Amino acid sequence: MAIDSDVLVVGGGLAAVTSAVAAAREGADVRLVSHKASTLRQASGLIDALGYVPATEPATPLRDGPPTAGRELDRDEWPDPEGPLADPFEAIDGLPESHPYRILGADALREGLALFDDLAGDAYRGGHTDRNALLPTFGGSVKPTARYPAAAEAGLASDDRPALIVGFRSLTEYDARAFAGRLEAAGVPFDVAGAEVEFAEAFRADAKVTRLAKALDHDEAIDGVPAREALAKAVAPHLHDAVDEAGGVERVERVGFPAFLGDQEGDEVRAELADRLGADVFEIPMGPPSLPGLRLEDRLYDALDDAGVRFETGNPVVGVETAADGRVEAVAVDKKGRETPYGADAFVLATGGLVGKGLDSDREGVREPVFDLHVPQPADRYEWFVDDAFGDQPYARFGVRIGGDGRALNAEGEPEYDNVFAAGGVVGGADAAREKSASGVSLATGIVAGREAATEATQ
Amino acid sequence: MTRHTDDGETEEANGPDEKREGVDGPDEKREDADGSTTGAAPSSPAPGVPEAGRDEQPSIFVPDDGEVPEGTPSERPATDGGVESAAGGSDSADLDPDAYDPVDVFPGGDLDLREGADSCYKCTSCDTSCPVAEVDDEFPGPKFQGPEQWRLKRKDDHDIDESITSCSNCMRCDDACPSSVPLSQMHNEARGQFVESQMEKLSREYIRNRILSNYRFFASIASKVPRLANAATKIPGAMKVGEKLLGIAGDREFPDFATQTFREWWKARGGAQVENPDKRVAYFHGCYSNYNTPEVGKAMVRVYEHFGYEVMVPPQKCSGTPMFANGMLKDARRHAETNVENLVEAIGEGADVIASCTSCSLSLRQEYPELFDIHGIEDVSEHTYEALEYLRINEDLEAELAGTELADEQSFAYHAPCHARNQGLDRQAVETFRDVDGVELEDVGDSCSGISGTYGWKEEKYEKSMEIGAEMFEHMEDAEGDVGMTECPTCAMQMEHGTGYEVEHPLQLLEDAVGA
Ligand SMILES: Cc1cc2nc3c(=O)[nH]c(=O)nc-3n(C[C@H](O)[C@H](O)[C@H](O)COP(=O)(O)OP(=O)(O)OC[C@H]3O[C@@H](n4cnc5c(N)ncnc54)[C@H](O)[C@@H]3O)c2cc1C
Ligand code: SF4
Ligand code: SF4
C-alpha cells in the first residue's frame, strides 16, 4: 500500500495533536488525517483539567418512568457540584470509576499537561503549579482552569489590582458593564469597572474579530490615526472609572479587552497598548470566534511539523478498509467521492464527541462511525436524559470505552482490535461540560494512546 | 404537502413559497431527516448533530428542465453547446452580452440546500477563516453569504446581496465548517443568481468579469500570436488602458504566452511514448499549463511516463474555476459538457483523470457534481486526482525518492493553494520532498495568496488582494529559498508579482528528482 505509516491518527483537535506528537516522540512514523480544519479555532484557548466534580446521584431518587417533558422541574433534586476546585489532581478520586482520569490515573493527566507545556512554550502560563487558576471568561463568570494564554495572565481573578473591562459600542455581544457587574457579584477580590468605548465604530457593524486583529497587527490607520494609538486614546478617559470600597476613584492597573488584540503580532500589540495606557493589558478568553484558539492551533500544528508528523485536513476517514486477525490494517479515506486506503500498524481514533462528529446519533442510538467501536448506552432512548438540565445527563458521558493502555474496548471489556486506541472527546465516561475537563481529558487520553500506539507499531 | 418546521427561524424563512411546493423529492427526504433529529424528545437536549451537510447535497444547476418560475426570463437555446477541439475554436458569441441568455437559474431546479443551511450552528469558524473578511470592511463574511442569506432568500422578494461578488471562492470556509455546511456551493449558487438576475448585463463590471472568466478564450487567441500578445501586454500604458476601460488591475503583469502550447508540443512529439492498457491516465492540463506554462504539462507527461503510465490528452475546455468565481455558471456548464463527455470516454478506456492544477482538480471533483447534472459527471468526479496525489497513492514515491539527490542544491518557498487545502493536499509537496537531498521546501504558512484566480485581477479588489497576500510575501522573503513553488497557476502569478521570484510547480521538481 502506498500511503502507509507506523501510526495513523484520525482527527484534528487537541487529542489528535497530542497523541500524534506523543507517538512521534516515541520514534514512530506518524500521519494525521483530519476531516476539517482543527476545532481548536473554536475553543476558548483555555486548557481546563478539572474544575468541578458534579454529583452523579440526585439528592432524592429519580421518578420512575419516562421523563416529564415540559413539566415544572425541581432544580434542587441535584446537589451542587463540588468546586471550583483548587487542585484538580486531588479531586480525581471523587470521579466515577469509568472516568478516563480514573482509568488512566492522575499521572496521565500530569504528563499530558507537561507535554502541552512543552508544545505551547512561552505562549501559555500555569505550568508552575498543580493548582487551578481562576480566569474571568466572557460571560462574566470566573472559571477554574489549568493552563491559560500568556495574553490572559494579567486578568487572573486572584489578582487584587483594580481592573477596567473594555467593550465596544458596536460589538453588541460584548457588554463590558454587565460583565464587570457580574464579576463583582461573583465576589472577585478587586475593584472593577466596565466601559464601552468607540473604536470598532470605524469598522462595519459586524466586523469579524480577525478583521480587528489584522488592523491592530498592521497598525492600520483608523481615520488617520494608527489603530493601536486610536484604541489607547479611546480607552484612556476611562482609566479612572473604577471605584473602591470607600467610594474613592482609583486609577486601574490593568485593562481587559475582548480577545482580538492582534493575531501574528499579539505580544507587540499588547505591549504597545500597555505602554500607552500605563497599565497591564490582558485579553478575556471568549469563543467562538476565538483568536486565542486560532493562535493555539497555529502553535500546535507547528509543533506537529517539528515532530515530523505528516498531516492533512480536508477529507474524512469513513471506515475500516481491511482488518484481519483482530487487527485493522487500513482505513478508508474519502477523497471527494473516491475511497483511498491508508495503512498503518496502529491507529488512534481522536474524532471528538457528539459535536465534533466523532459520535453519530439517530433514532437507533449512538454509534462510532469510523471503526464502529462499541458505545455503551441504555437501550431505551428515554434513559439518555434526566429531566433536570443541570442533572447528570447520561448522554453527556457517552463514548467509546478504553482500557488502562488506551485501547478501545468491546462490549465484553476486551480490546476490540489489538491496534486501535482512542483519545479525547470520543472517549466516554467524562462529562466535560459540567466538569470543565475537556482539554485535560484530551491531553491525558492523547498522550497514553499516542505512546501505546507507537509501542504497538514499532515493537 | 405541509412542511416541517422546527424553529421560528426556518418557519419565517419558509414563508409562503409556492414555487417550492412543487418540488417534491428533497422535501420528502427532509421530513425524515427532521423527524429523526428532533422529533423524539422535543424538550430534551437532543444529542444529535445537524443532519445534512455537504456530503448529501443534490446538484443544483439544472438549467435544462424544471419549471420556469414567473419573473425569470424564459429559456432560449444555449449559444454554444457544441463540442469542439481543444485547440481553439470560437467562443466569441459567448462574450457578447447580447447573445447571452439568462436561464432559469435555481428556483426551478431541484436544489434544496436548506438542510445544509439548518445545520449551521453559528459557530463562526467560517468567518474567522475567511481571508476577505479579514481585510474588507464591506464584506459580511461566509456565514452571512451562506446559511443566513439562504434563509433570507426564501422570502420571495429578497435580492441577493451584492457583496457576494466580493467572495473570492477560495473555499476556506468549507474546510473550516465543523458541520459540513455546503458554504461554497451556496456562494456559487447565490453568485450565479446575482449575476443572472441582478447584474446589469452591459455594465463594465459584467463585461470585465466575463472576460476574466473566459481567460481560455483570450489565451487561445493570444497563443496564436504569442510574441505579439506578449509585447502588447507590455506596451507602456496598455494595462492602464485596461484598467480605465474595463477595471482590470493595471498594476498586474499579464502572464507570458508560450510560443509553443502544451498541446502543440504533445502533437509534435507524437503523443504518448508509453503504451500501457493497465496504467492509463487522462491529463486535464487546464488552460494555464497549455497556454502559459507548458513546462508544467511536459513535466507531468515525463514523470508519468517514467512511472510507466500511458498518458492520454483528451480534448478539453476550461475547468470552470474562474467562471464559478464570477457567477458565470452558464459558461461553466457549457465547458463542463465538453469536458465530461471527453473525460468519460477516457475513463471508459481505463484511465483516471489527472490535473496538475489544484483548482481544476477541485472543480472536477467537487463543484461539477454539486452544480451540474450532466450524464457521467459523477464518474468524472470519482476518477479525478491531482497529479502528485495520484502518484502518492499508487506508486511508492517515498522509496523512489529516498536517497535521491539533486545536482544543484535548491531551496523553495512553498505556498499551498487554498484549493489544495480543501482536498487535503496542502502538505503533500513538503512531505514528498522531505527526504530528497539537496532540496529544501519551506512551507510559507497557511495564509491565502490573495489572488484567488480572477479576484486579484479586478481593479477594485487589487489592493485587498495584495493586503491578503502580504503575509505570504513576508514569509516568502523570510524563507531561505528565492524560488517559489505552488500547484496553482494564479497563486504563482501572485507570488511572482509580490516578490519577483520565479515560481515552479512541484511536478517540475519531481521531474528533476526522478530524472524523468
Ligand atoms: C466552542 C468550543 C469551546 C471550547 N472551550 C473549551 C474550554 O474553554 N476549555 C477546554 O478545556 N476545552 C474547550 N473546548 C474543548 C477542546 O477544544 C476540545 O474540543 C476537546 O478537548 C475535545 O478534543 P478532541 O480532539 O477529542 O475533539 P474535537 O476537538 O471535537 O476534534 C475532533 C476532530 O476530529 C475530526 N474528525 C471528526 N470525524 C472525523 C473523521 N471521520 N475523519 C477524520 N477526522 C475527523 C474533526 O474534523 C475535528 O478536527 C472547546 C471546544 C469547542 C468546540
Ligand atoms: S470562499 Fe473564501 S472568500 Fe468566499 S466566503 Fe468562503 S472563505 Fe470567504
Ligand atoms: S462554520 Fe459552519 S456551522 Fe459554523 S457558522 Fe459557519 S456555516 Fe455555520
Side-chain angles (χ1 to χ4, degrees), chain A residues 204-272:
Chain A
R204 61 175 290 126
D206 57 347
K208 310 292 168 267
V209 288
T210 47
R211 172 77 191 100
L212 302 176
K214 191 112 180 169
L216 288 166
D217 260 1
H218 296 182
D219 214 3
E220 280 174 29
I222 309 285
D223 297 333
V225 184
R228 299 173 194 174
E229 188 185 331
L231 182 53
K233 277 199 172 134
V235 173
H238 297 281
L239 290 171
H240 295 274
D241 281 7
V243 178
D244 65 18
E245 274 167 8
V249 175
E250 47 189 349
R251 189 178 199 286
V252 298
E253 289 173 47
R254 47 194 182 134
V255 181
F257 292 86
F260 65 59
L261 301 181
D263 178 8
Q264 308 277 316
E265 314 293 343
D267 291 345
E268 206 183 292
V269 173
R270 264 182 296 123
E272 182 170 340

Side-chain angles (χ1 to χ4, degrees), chain B residues 129-132 139 142 167-173 187:
Chain B
S129 61
C130 174
V132 174
F139 186 60
C167 160
S168 71
N169 204 30
C170 72
M171 298 192 170
R172 280 180 174 249
C173 46
H187 299 166

Side-chain angles (χ1 to χ4, degrees), chain A residues 56-78:
Chain A
T56 51
E57 291 298 328
T60 52
L62 287 177
R63 275 182 301 270
D64 279 340
T68 49
R71 221 195 275 162
E72 232 5 77
L73 300 174
D74 180 3
R75 288 276 145 80
D76 295 330
E77 277 181 334
W78 290 84

